[in-house]
Each structure stands twice: as C-alpha cells, then as structure tokens.
Amino acid sequence: DSGVTQTPKHLITATGQRVTLRCSPRSGDLSVYWYQQSLDQGLQFLIQYYNGEERAKGNILERFSAQQFPDLHSELNLSSLELGDSALYFCASSEKTGRLRLDGYTFGSGTRLTVV
Amino acid sequence: GENVEQHPSTLSVQEGDSAVIKCTYSDSASNYFPWYKQELGKGPQLIIDIRSNVGEKKDQRIAVTLNKTAKHFSLHITETQPEDSAVYFCAASEVRGNTGKLIFGQGTTLQVKP
C-alpha cells in the first residue's frame, strides 16, 4: 500500500456520461498530481494542486476538471465522456512542490475507466 | 516546457544479462530524475532517483547515471531476473514555472526471459 488511495478501482460508463474519480494523498502530502495513461501510452500530465490551489495544467481537456478540498483529497471530474477517454487515471502525491521537491511522487494504484 | 525521450520502447534480455534504458531531456534547468517501475495492473513505483549534483547512484542491481552536459540519463539493471519484467519510466522534474511536476518518458517494456 503506497498510502495514496484512489477510488473507484474500476469504472464502466456510457458515452456522454459524467464520472468523478477520487484521490486521497499520502498523509502529510500537500501536492496532488493527476495523470492519464492510455493503452500503450506514457503518463500524460493533466493537472496539479498544491494545498487547495491549482498549480499547473497539462493537456487537460475542457470537459475535465479537478479540485482539491480542505482535507487535501482531490477529485477529477470527467464529463461528456467519449470512447477515447477510456484509460487509466493515476493520482500521485508529494509533500512539497516546485524547486523544493527533490523526491519522487508516490502513485496510487489508479482508476481504470472504460467508456462504452 | 520540459520534454523527455526514452529508448528503447521494448527490450528483451536473457535472465542474468544486463539491461540499459536511456533517456534524454530538453531543459538544462531540470534538477531531479527519478525512475519508475510499473507492473501490470499497478501504479508506477519509484525504484531509484538521481539529483543533478550527482553523476551516478547505485542500489544493489540497479544504477542510474546522469550526464548533465549531454542532458541524458540511463538506468542500468545487472543480473536481470524474471521479476524485473515490467514497464520502466524515466522522468525529469520541471523546474521552470516552479511546479515541480514530473515529465515522463514514453516507457520501456522490459522482458526478462528465464
């Protein structure tokens, strides 16, 4: 157990629907990062939050949004789902951010989203 | 922003042989380079990392080297075992913009044949 908890582990939904993926970071970690991993693809950075505030955005679609709550858990919302959104979605956390962060993230075990 | 290229995309070796995976990065300001191992159905797991003020780091059968001038770093696995079979990702920490986010390479699928 890495200490980063992602729920649900699996999600099957229809096109056009909306889903919410949840991430609880490791205790003491203030920074949360979301990544998308499609079949045969690497880890594509979506968005980062640090202590409740958005810090960086990657190639995140307008249909996707995220937030980090006061208790530091984060949610990734995916709406108007398309077949191409089927992927593994990983959350990672770290204690620090920016130039101060010289350690690796800790990843959760991911949510596998299947859009049918 | 930072860009990381990783080679090869697949690597097959015999048990006991060595495996080498190479990565290049684009931003000379990047200061931290971790390597992750991802087994089937699991999240990536940090296996070794190196900071920009160090040229080489070893941990048992795994070593990482960094050449800042050439902007490339490599993962070396010696005496490979079947349980080393997995997807390996290199990454570089993006310093500009002060986000600290990691930019990953495309991954290398390592197969160790018994």
Side-chain angles (χ1 to χ4, degrees):
Chain A
D1 181 10
S2 68
V4 178
T5 304
Q6 287 190 251
T7 57
K9 291 193 185 306
H10 302 276
L11 199 49
I12 301 175
T13 189
T15 55
Q17 294 299 303
R18 171 190 168 95
V19 297
T20 297
L21 313 183
R22 182 187 169 104
C23 169
S24 293
R26 204 176 48 165
S27 178
D29 285 357
L30 300 178
S31 204
V32 170
Y33 308 80
W34 285 97
Y35 284 80
Q36 180 192 55
Q37 186 177 40
S38 303
L39 193 64
D40 294 333
Q41 294 288 312
L43 292 153
Q44 301 298 316
F45 171 71
L46 294 177
I47 198 163
Q48 175 200 359
Y49 279 84
Y50 178 72
N51 204 19
E53 293 187 2
E54 183 183 303
R55 253 308 172 92
K57 256 185 175 178
N59 297 325
I60 187 168
L61 300 171
E62 285 190 11
R63 301 183 285 108
F64 296 1
S65 65
Q67 54 185 327
Q68 186 179 28
F69 295 86
D71 67 352
L72 301 177
H73 91 271
S74 178
E75 293 181 356
L76 179 67
N77 301 296
L78 315 177
S79 61
S80 303
L81 285 167
E82 302 174 359
L83 295 178
D85 296 328
S86 296
L88 269 168
Y89 291 85
F90 286 105
C91 163
S93 72
S94 67
E95 181 185 358
K96 299 183 177 71
T97 189
R99 294 182 184 83
L100 297 176
R101 198 197 53 71
L102 291 176
D103 59 349
Y105 301 157
T106 301
F107 278 88
S109 55
T111 293
R112 181 175 292 281
L113 173 67
T114 303
V115 182
V116 297
Chain B
E2 176 65 276
N3 183 52
V4 178
E5 298 285 336
Q6 182 172 346
H7 300 281
S9 56
T10 60
L11 181 59
S12 182
V13 300
Q14 287 296 135
E15 181 177 0
D17 287 350
S18 295
V20 180
I21 303 170
K22 299 183 179 183
C23 290
T24 59
Y25 61 99
S26 60
D27 190 349
S28 57
S30 290
N31 59 359
Y32 175 71
F33 307 91
W35 286 86
Y36 285 83
K37 175 183 180 182
Q38 185 178 23
E39 296 175 323
L40 202 60
K42 296 184 178 180
Q45 192 170 23
L46 179 70
I47 55 171
I48 194 167
D49 55 14
I50 191 166
R51 299 177 184 181
S52 58
N53 59 347
V54 175
E56 184 175 359
K57 184 177 178 181
K58 280 185 180 180
D59 183 3
Q60 299 182 338
R61 298 186 295 108
I62 293 174
V64 58
T65 58
L66 172 65
N67 183 327
K68 281 174 26 181
T69 304
K71 289 189 284 188
H72 67 68
F73 55 114
S74 301
L75 178 72
H76 305 253
I77 306 174
T78 58
E79 300 172 21
T80 53
Q81 300 167 4
E83 50 265 39
D84 294 329
S85 296
V87 180
Y88 291 81
F89 291 97
C90 63
S93 181
E94 188 172 86
V95 174
R96 298 187 199 282
N98 202 29
T99 66
K101 72 177 187 279
L102 294 177
I103 305 300
F104 287 85
Q106 287 300 99
T108 296
T109 301
L110 173 64
Q111 182 187 29
V112 180
K113 298 177 183 175

